Amino acid sequence: MAYFFDMAVSSRFRGMKILNLLALCVLIFSLANIVPMAEARIRRYKWEVKYEYKSPDCFRKVVITINGRTPGPTIQARQNDTVIVELKNSLLTENVAIHWHGIRQIGTPWADGTEGVTQCPILPGETFTYKFVVDRPGTYLYHAHYGMQREAGLYGSIRVSLPEGESEPYAYDYDRSIILNDWFHRSAFEQAAGLSSIPFQWVGEPQSLLIQGKGRFNCSSLNSPSLNVGTICNETNPECSPYVITVIPGKTYRLRISSLTALSALSFQIEGHNMTVVEADGHNVEPFVVQNLFIYSGETYSVLIKADQNPTRNYWATTNIVSRNATFTTPPGLAILNYYPNHPKRSPPTTPPSGPLWNDVGSRLNQSLAIKARKGFIIPPPQSADRMIVMLNTQNNVSGNVRWSVNKVTYTLPHIPYLIALKENITSAFDQTPPPDGYDFKNYDIFSVAENKSYTIRNGVYRLNFNSTVDIILQNANSLSNKTSETHPWHLHGHDFWVLGYGEGKFDIYNDPKKYNLVNPIMKNTVPVHRYGWTALRFRADNPGAWAFHCHIESHFYMGMGVVFAEGIERLGELPSSIKGCVHRK
Ligand SMILES: O=C1O[C@H]([C@@H](O)CO)C(O)=C1O
């Protein structure tokens, strides 16, 4: 029919058509010159997730790889690009889900990749497609968000650059992404089993620290005669040769340093080189100089270093555990800063710098306080909040097991993910009573071993009014051991928050808010609450969806240290059916 019509069009008509087409082309061409088209592109990735034997720290174990690698491939995109990841789960007996850490998922809450919150798990053999826009430049991460799977090596970097022609407010010649991690030889399954057992079995300190997937375990410490040590642990395996950062003398490097540790807070340092901190979690920082960069799981920083030292040798870059005493259990992670043209494997002639003391709390608090938004890039916070939620973090004994609680509630995920249950009004899916907004401020002593009364395991959500401003006060306390309070890195999905302040001791709801930094607070997505201290955050509940907020220590989240916020669900259109595989309804 169309063919017939085309043939029937008279030549006069055809001539007019061609003229119109030409005019349209001229119009598009001139418009393109007046309004430069923002060139948002699609970045497409095809990933296969598999079990493989690897020896990241010379000790061979089963890890989870993406296209054969751990860390997985770096996602590189420009601001406003659409990232599409087609993920095939080739794990034989295990589900998977991947979270895009720091990407707010505005308009795509179903792509956040948080099993139990925003989607059903991806079953073995299935392929699932994540599609989302990276709307801000900066350094982000991705990692598994199912059980304790992240620890098995399923993680990588996301690097979002500015649109073509725009540049950062600081200058550098080259750019490198480095993920720090701690590494355990026992599998995530064994660890989870221990945490769920009675008696409780703690995961302990990691066996080694990895810098961009490489570490070194002392194989001779495995001297059990029943082990054929050579096949399990081999220090000459190239997989565990130190990570090398090659630099050209005189040049400036932007190192994007992030941490995805399962447990440890870290310090990172490069022998003889100061680091200028310029970015935190995707936001420009008013530059400040450090020798030791303290970094908590889930945080990302960019630091600038100048290769301005004696170029005839190489230097050590090291990372070591702070905030927990791992002095006798976990050696520092080592990498080599290689000055070209020295041989990259040439060991520096010095002993590696021994980072700061593990219990130097003051220096860590000082760094937290030093991070401010950069002049010219300040996003002013709302000057007041509509709601304040004070979250007391405690460690408790719940039903005979060690657990973590927020305001006496230990979190557990429902079988139907919150996003689906909320949108489709499946009220039986989770506890409809929200968790408490505070704790007994007057009577609770944060300096004593946690009392153990009326703690419960629940799965209610905090429902936030859409577009309201919410203050969260993370309040730390003594754990189950005398004179112990741990540092917890809290990560919020779906939003960045302003960091309004940190303090020591018990937060005073009347006086401490007067000390908030409402002038130039940094925005972040992950923040530590220091021992026996508090951290105050503010965010706007302006992103329709269900969002996890949790301690980024893998075992602590597993032990119930998290909450879920929900806002603006009624604004969402129909959810994609691909996230609903575990929901069977009549
Ligand atoms: O959650 C934890 O449990 C142990 C210990 O407190 C009990 O064994 C520990 O160090 C944690 O961080």
Side-chain angles (χ1 to χ4, degrees):
M1 188 62 185
Y3 178 68
F4 174 78
F5 181 78
D6 266 0
M7 292 300 287
V9 173
S10 76
S11 58
R12 199 173 118 232
F13 264 38
R14 218 177 280 151
M16 272 180 70
K17 249 179 135 184
I18 289 167
L19 273 179
N20 283 347
L21 255 177
L22 267 175
L24 195 67
C25 287
V26 170
L27 187 72
I28 291 175
F29 182 74
S30 41
L31 267 181
N33 280 326
I34 302 165
V35 188
M37 298 260 187
E39 215 198 307
R41 295 204 290 179
I42 292 185
R43 309 275 173 166
R44 209 177 274 278
Y45 295 84
K46 248 184 177 202
W47 287 357
E48 186 176 20
V49 171
K50 269 200 341 203
Y51 298 122
E52 276 181 73
Y53 276 111
K54 293 271 181 200
S55 308
D57 69 344
C58 308
F59 179 89
R60 192 168 67 109
K61 68 172 265 191
V62 172
V63 305
I64 301 181
T65 58
I66 297 176
N67 296 351
R69 291 160 56 183
T70 171
T74 297
I75 291 185
Q76 300 214 36
R78 282 196 190 276
Q79 185 176 11
N80 296 326
D81 285 354
T82 298
V83 172
I84 300 178
V85 179
E86 212 178 278
L87 189 143
K88 179 161 198 287
N89 179 3
S90 293
L91 301 174
L92 306 172
T93 56
E94 204 178 337
N95 299 336
V96 78
I98 292 193
H99 168 56
W100 315 94
H101 181 114
I103 308 298
R104 290 171 298 168
Q105 302 292 353
I106 294 170
T108 52
W110 46 81
D112 189 49
T114 313
E115 188 274 332
V117 179
T118 63
Q119 72 168 99
C120 293
I122 308 166
L123 302 182
E126 275 184 1
T127 297
F128 182 91
T129 303
Y130 288 102
K131 182 175 176 189
F132 54 89
V133 172
V134 287
D135 62 330
R136 278 185 309 116
T139 308
Y140 308 101
L141 297 161
Y142 65 82
H143 59 79
H145 217 299
Y146 177 70
M148 289 174 59
Q149 206 172 51
R150 187 180 92 214
E151 300 200 8
L154 188 39
Y155 61 84
S157 296
I158 304 176
R159 187 193 285 189
V160 184
S161 45
L162 282 161
E164 196 87 52
E166 288 182 36
S167 52
E168 312 286 357
Y170 42 86
Y172 56 90
D173 300 298
Y174 300 100
D175 196 346
R176 293 288 277 265
S177 301
I178 301 171
I179 302 184
L180 309 177
N181 200 6
D182 50 9
W183 196 245
F184 292 77
H185 291 171
R186 280 199 298 153
S187 72
F189 292 120
E190 281 179 88
Q191 293 182 40
L195 298 175
S196 309
S197 302
I198 297 178
F200 172 80
Q201 206 181 317
W202 175 237
V203 299
E205 298 303 321
Q207 278 62 60
S208 55
L209 297 177
L210 307 185
I211 300 182
Q212 195 54 17
K214 283 163 171 276
R216 176 151 304 202
F217 179 71
N218 177 4
C219 293
S220 59
S221 63
L222 294 175
N223 52 6
S224 156
S226 61
L227 285 176
N228 186 358
V229 171
T231 57
I232 293 170
C233 198
N234 175 2
E235 286 175 43
T236 62
N237 185 337
E239 279 181 41
C240 60
S241 65
Y243 179 66
V244 176
I245 311 160
T246 299
V247 294
I248 299 168
K251 298 289 183 195
T252 299
Y253 289 79
R254 173 182 185 175
L255 304 182
R256 298 171 185 256
I257 299 170
S258 48
S259 168
L260 276 176
T261 50
L263 174 66
S264 321
L266 299 175
S267 170
F268 176 82
Q269 43 276 323
I270 305 175
E271 194 185 7
H273 294 73
N274 283 340
M275 298 178 277
T276 306
V277 180
V278 290
E279 183 215 343
D281 294 4
H283 291 273
N284 288 317
V285 167
E286 185 59 26
F288 65 98
V289 176
V290 294
Q291 261 123 39
N292 312 107
L293 178 77
F294 296 108
I295 183 163
Y296 305 89
S297 181
E299 286 191 313
T300 68
Y301 289 99
S302 284
V303 298
L304 301 182
I305 61 156
K306 185 148 199 226
D308 58 2
Q309 296 301 300
N310 174 359
T312 62
R313 52 163 288 197
N314 292 337
Y315 297 82
W316 292 112
T318 71
T319 187
N320 62 290
I321 294 180
V322 291
S323 127
R324 303 179 67 95
N325 187 356
T327 323
F328 302 109
T329 46
T330 316
L334 300 180
I336 293 176
L337 184 76
N338 162 234
Y339 269 61
Y340 182 82
N342 296 299
H343 195 282
K345 294 221 167 113
R346 198 165 119 202
S347 271
T350 41
T351 45
S354 58
L357 291 177
W358 73 271
N359 53 1
D360 178 359
V361 188
S363 301
R364 290 192 284 117
L365 182 61
N366 283 343
Q367 184 190 296
S368 294
L369 291 168
I371 306 172
K372 303 277 160 50
R374 187 179 181 118
K375 277 184 214 83
F377 295 86
I378 300 167
I379 304 171
Q383 295 294 297
S384 62
D386 301 307
R387 180 171 174 187
M388 180 199 279
I389 305 175
V390 184
M391 297 188 169
L392 175 71
N393 295 198
T394 54
Q395 190 188 34
N396 313 95
N397 198 309
V398 185
S399 316
N401 226 327
V402 179
R403 288 292 174 260
W404 290 91
S405 312
V406 170
N407 297 343
K408 295 196 166 186
V409 176
T410 291
Y411 221 72
T412 180
L413 288 172
H415 294 293
I416 297 181
Y418 287 104
L419 183 63
I420 304 167
L422 286 160
K423 177 75 182 101
E424 303 189 355
N425 213 16
I426 314 174
T427 51
S428 59
F430 64 88
D431 184 352
Q432 295 296 302
T433 315
D437 272 18
Y439 70 103
D440 181 1
F441 308 110
K442 261 205 195 128
N443 300 315
Y444 193 93
D445 178 6
I446 64 155
F447 296 103
S448 302
V449 169
E451 49 161 64
N452 251 322
K453 280 182 254 151
S454 59
Y455 285 80
T456 49
I457 298 179
R458 280 167 53 184
N459 58 15
V461 304
Y462 287 99
R463 285 173 182 259
L464 308 176
N465 288 335
F466 186 69
N467 255 336
S468 62
T469 301
V470 182
D471 278 3
I472 303 292
I473 317 299
L474 294 165
Q475 174 67 63
N476 214 336
N478 200 101
S479 67
L480 282 173
S481 326
N482 203 9
K483 293 201 165 43
T484 309
S485 177
E486 297 189 19
T487 306
H488 303 280
W490 278 80
H491 170 60
L492 178 59
H493 293 220
H495 312 77
D496 290 337
F497 45 70
W498 288 274
V499 185
L500 300 185
Y502 296 88
E504 290 173 284
K506 200 191 243 185
F507 178 79
D508 172 344
I509 45 173
Y510 302 106
N511 293 310
D512 283 328
K514 294 179 193 150
K515 300 179 215 150
Y516 285 168
N517 173 11
L518 297 172
V519 178
N520 60 352
I522 188 72
M523 292 194 86
K524 292 186 98 255
N525 60 60
T526 307
V527 78
V529 57
H530 294 288
R531 61 207 293 263
Y532 298 114
W534 55 264
T535 303
L537 318 174
R538 178 167 291 174
F539 70 97
R540 219 194 263 284
D542 57 1
N543 191 9
W547 308 106
F549 178 49
H550 61 93
C551 177
H552 214 260
I553 292 177
E554 193 84 316
S555 42
H556 288 184
F557 183 48
Y558 186 84
M559 291 158 77
M561 198 170 198
V563 302
V564 167
F565 297 120
E567 76 224 28
I569 299 288
E570 63 291 347
R571 293 172 173 256
L572 293 172
E574 206 181 316
L575 301 174
S577 57
S578 59
I579 66 164
K580 298 191 210 168
C582 57
V583 182
H584 304 287
R585 304 190 68 201
K586 287 188 203 109

